[in-house]
Amino acid sequence: MNGVNILLTLSFLGLATFIASAYDPSPLQDFCVAIDDPNKASVFVNGKFCKDPKYAKAEDFFFSGLNIAGDTNNKVGSNVTHVDVDKMPGLNTLGISLVRVDFAPYGESPPHTHPRATEILVVVEGQLSVGFVTSNQDGNRLFSKVLNKGDVFVFPIGLIHFQFNPGKVPAVAFVGFGSQNPGTITIANAVFGSNPAINPEILAKAFQLDQKIVEQLQKKFWVAN
Ligand code: MN
């Protein structure tokens, strides 16, 4: 192996390490039960501080209440009950979390993306019309499907996706995420509901809309589901 090859190999290994660390890291211990930062001035690095393992207890790995339907009485007709690291401290560093999503008849989870996780969904009640759109480079292709009870769909990390209940009865889904803290960016909220507002002239050009319509959209209340 000559010097150039060694250099290329080393660069590749460096890149592979970077890619691997771009996701929730694999834990180097059995668990790392999260505690709130006892010192607000401390540096907060990709996760939370760990409880001394000898003080960990079963409750750190436990959550109760996903049998309870969320309140869907809002503008989008859906509700998300999160079981993330904030609700279950034992999830810290484990790279996984769970939510229950309730949909009123014709309710939806509006177009959104999760910056840190792939999402896998199973319908346990009712019906859902779901889909995701690929990136610009892949032609913004829509992959969509109508799901019935027991059907499963996966939404790749970072891609814009939605779920809509086309039925006259409520729908319920459970969703697993490949992150303890997947994050959610609801497109309408981020674009039209940012704080402070994005210059409406910019949005008018971006969306090919009259500026007055943009200003109306910016005055609306956007439900963060
Ligand atoms: Mn989602």
Side-chain angles (χ1 to χ4, degrees):
M1 196 181 265
N2 63 31
V4 173
N5 277 342
I6 290 170
L7 203 63
L8 282 173
T9 307
L10 287 176
S11 323
F12 174 76
L13 287 174
L15 184 65
T17 308
F18 173 75
I19 290 167
S21 66
Y23 291 84
D24 287 5
S26 299
L28 297 172
Q29 64 288 313
D30 285 352
F31 51 78
C32 166
V33 177
I35 54 169
D36 288 336
D37 180 2
N39 176 359
K40 297 283 186 247
S42 296
V43 180
F44 187 81
V45 185
N46 204 26
K48 294 180 183 287
F49 287 87
C50 309
K51 180 188 270 191
D52 186 331
K54 67 175 178 277
Y55 298 119
K57 51 192 190 303
E59 282 66 30
D60 293 327
F61 305 94
F62 174 76
F63 176 90
S64 184
L66 276 199
N67 58 317
I68 299 164
D71 181 6
T72 58
N73 186 23
N74 56 57
K75 286 188 178 187
V76 292
S78 70
N79 189 288
V80 183
T81 308
H82 296 267
V83 187
D84 54 18
V85 67
D86 292 327
K87 299 278 182 58
M88 183 188 272
L91 279 177
N92 195 34
T93 74
L94 297 185
I96 195 167
S97 58
L98 180 73
V99 301
R100 170 185 172 133
V101 195
D102 286 277
F103 298 87
Y106 312 114
E108 70 175 27
S109 186
H112 65 277
T113 171
H114 305 287
R116 290 178 290 279
T118 287
E119 164 176 344
I120 188 164
L121 174 149
V122 57
V123 176
V124 296
E125 290 296 335
Q127 194 177 57
L128 287 179
S129 173
V130 307
F132 66 82
V133 178
T134 64
S135 59
N136 299 1
Q137 288 74 11
D138 195 47
N140 297 130
R141 288 188 294 157
L142 170 67
F143 289 77
S144 65
K145 195 89 180 156
V146 174
L147 307 179
N148 292 295
K149 196 170 174 173
D151 291 348
V152 177
F153 202 76
V154 67
F155 305 90
I157 183 169
L159 300 187
I160 292 179
H161 59 279
F162 58 84
Q163 293 113 13
F164 171 71
N165 175 9
K168 292 176 185 159
V169 293
V172 182
F174 287 88
V175 169
F177 290 106
S179 169
Q180 68 181 40
N181 182 22
T184 300
I185 301 167
T186 305
I187 308 306
N189 302 45
V191 173
F192 297 112
S194 72
N195 182 23
I198 298 173
N199 181 341
E201 198 180 335
I202 294 170
L203 295 180
K205 183 164 282 187
F207 287 84
Q208 303 182 42
L209 290 172
D210 189 286
Q211 198 170 312
K212 286 196 177 62
I213 294 173
V214 170
E215 285 163 7
Q216 280 171 20
L217 288 169
Q218 288 179 317
K219 283 183 192 132
K220 288 185 187 292
F221 173 74
W222 301 97
V223 179
N225 262 3

